[in-house]
Amino acid sequence: MTVLVAYASAPEGREALTEGINEAHRRKSDLLIVNIGRGHHDLDAQELQELEGQLTEAGLALTIESSILGDPGDAVIQIAQDRNVEVIVIGLRHRSMVGKLILGSTVQRILLDATCPVLAVRADKL
């Protein structure tokens, strides 16, 4: 089986990756990264190198997948269904009182429409 990490080059994306690595080890599963950041179809060379180093250190292979879909939330959901993913790991960021009423559209879409469990982690732990 596979653990999918919805990754963005931001603190919440890095926290999702860290928890995704832990979850893959716990489940003895493969890890799949789907980039949901701006320009979500490609990561730059430096970011790829950093990801590969972190995963190599964790004993996992770097596997990145993208989708032709324009919406990153739709891409995560589609890839999760196509690959029969066990769990999706996404990162959340701190929001103001008003911001708490409205989650980010990508996170909200994944939480509401995913057909597998979703593990949401906070980058700014209390």
Side-chain angles (χ1 to χ4, degrees):
M1 294 297 266
T2 303
V3 172
L4 185 153
V5 173
Y7 178 80
S9 184
E12 56 270 16
R14 288 186 282 281
E15 186 64 29
L17 180 62
T18 298
E19 288 302 318
I21 289 169
N22 293 338
E23 197 66 25
H25 281 267
R26 267 193 297 277
R27 295 173 181 262
K28 295 178 176 50
S29 297
D30 296 327
L31 184 72
L32 172 65
I33 297 171
V34 176
N35 182 25
I36 63 168
R38 289 195 174 151
H40 65 275
H41 295 294
D42 294 311
L43 291 167
D44 66 38
Q46 180 182 350
E47 188 77 20
L48 281 172
Q49 191 174 23
E50 289 173 11
L51 287 173
E52 190 167 28
Q54 188 173 356
L55 292 175
T56 299
E57 197 173 292
L60 297 167
L62 175 60
T63 306
I64 299 178
E65 195 163 321
S66 62
S67 169
I68 59 169
L69 298 175
D71 180 80
D74 288 339
V76 168
I77 292 165
Q78 176 199 35
I79 292 168
Q81 289 173 341
D82 291 349
R83 297 285 298 268
N84 196 25
V85 165
E86 213 173 343
V87 64
I88 297 170
V89 182
I90 58 173
L92 303 173
R93 65 175 177 234
H94 177 75
R95 296 204 172 260
S96 67
M97 292 296 280
V98 173
K100 287 179 184 177
L101 295 174
I102 304 168
L103 287 173
S105 60
T106 299
V107 171
Q108 184 174 11
R109 176 115 170 98
I110 294 168
L111 285 170
L112 294 176
D113 295 337
T115 57
C116 65
V118 178
L119 173 61
V121 297
R122 286 185 51 161
D124 52 346
K125 299 209 164 98
L126 299 175

